[in-house]
Amino acid sequence: QVQLVESGGGLVQAGDSLRLSCAASGRILSTNTMGWFRQAPGKEREFVARIYWSNYSTYYADSVKGRFTISRDNAKNTVYLQMNSLKPEDTALYYCAATRTYASDVPSDYNYWGQGTQVTVSS
């Protein structure tokens, strides 16, 4: 099993920045990809960004490209999501997830999920 715990969410104004953290524990070596997803009220969960444990390859949703940066610290088993130039449409519950699969942005491919951290951006 893999346990994921997110932190760093909050209430900010448009244009501000936030950094989310996801601390992983357990059988981390059974996973290859870490992803961030988000879900706004009344909407489906959507992919935000992903990164591999083994290298620095990253991939982003078009809606966040150029504003968000995903990174990892293997020594701390932690993945980060730096969010800059936040917009009201970024408001959502943000989830960290892990999977053995490579190159997936589909929620159903991810086996392990955190509890989520709320990000609210006011205009």
Side-chain angles (χ1 to χ4, degrees):
Q1 293 295 321
V2 176
Q3 293 78 42
L4 303 172
V5 179
E6 303 99 332
S7 60
L11 172 63
V12 297
Q13 293 187 331
D16 286 350
S17 298
L18 275 177
R19 188 177 82 155
L20 306 184
S21 299
C22 172
S25 61
R27 298 184 60 189
I28 301 168
L29 293 180
S30 68
T31 64
N32 293 303
T33 304
M34 297 294 295
W36 284 99
F37 292 79
R38 65 186 182 185
Q39 189 166 17
K43 295 187 177 181
E44 293 187 353
R45 192 167 299 187
E46 66 173 359
F47 169 78
V48 175
R50 67 171 185 258
I51 191 168
Y52 301 142
W53 285 116
S54 59
N55 61 46
Y56 290 96
S57 294
T58 57
Y59 185 77
Y60 298 91
D62 288 342
S63 58
V64 306
K65 202 172 295 182
R67 299 188 298 122
F68 291 11
T69 302
I70 188 171
S71 61
R72 57 170 175 75
D73 184 334
N74 284 21
K76 296 182 178 180
N77 292 332
T78 299
V79 177
Y80 304 98
L81 185 68
Q82 177 67 42
M83 305 185 296
N84 298 330
S85 303
L86 282 162
K87 304 175 181 180
E89 51 263 43
D90 294 319
T91 295
L93 189 60
Y94 281 71
Y95 295 93
C96 174
T99 179
R100 189 177 183 87
T101 304
Y102 283 100
S104 174
D105 57 0
V106 178
S108 60
D109 284 340
Y110 286 73
N111 310 101
Y112 305 103
W113 293 84
Q115 81 287 350
T117 185
Q118 179 67 39
V119 172
T120 303
V121 185
S122 63
S123 57

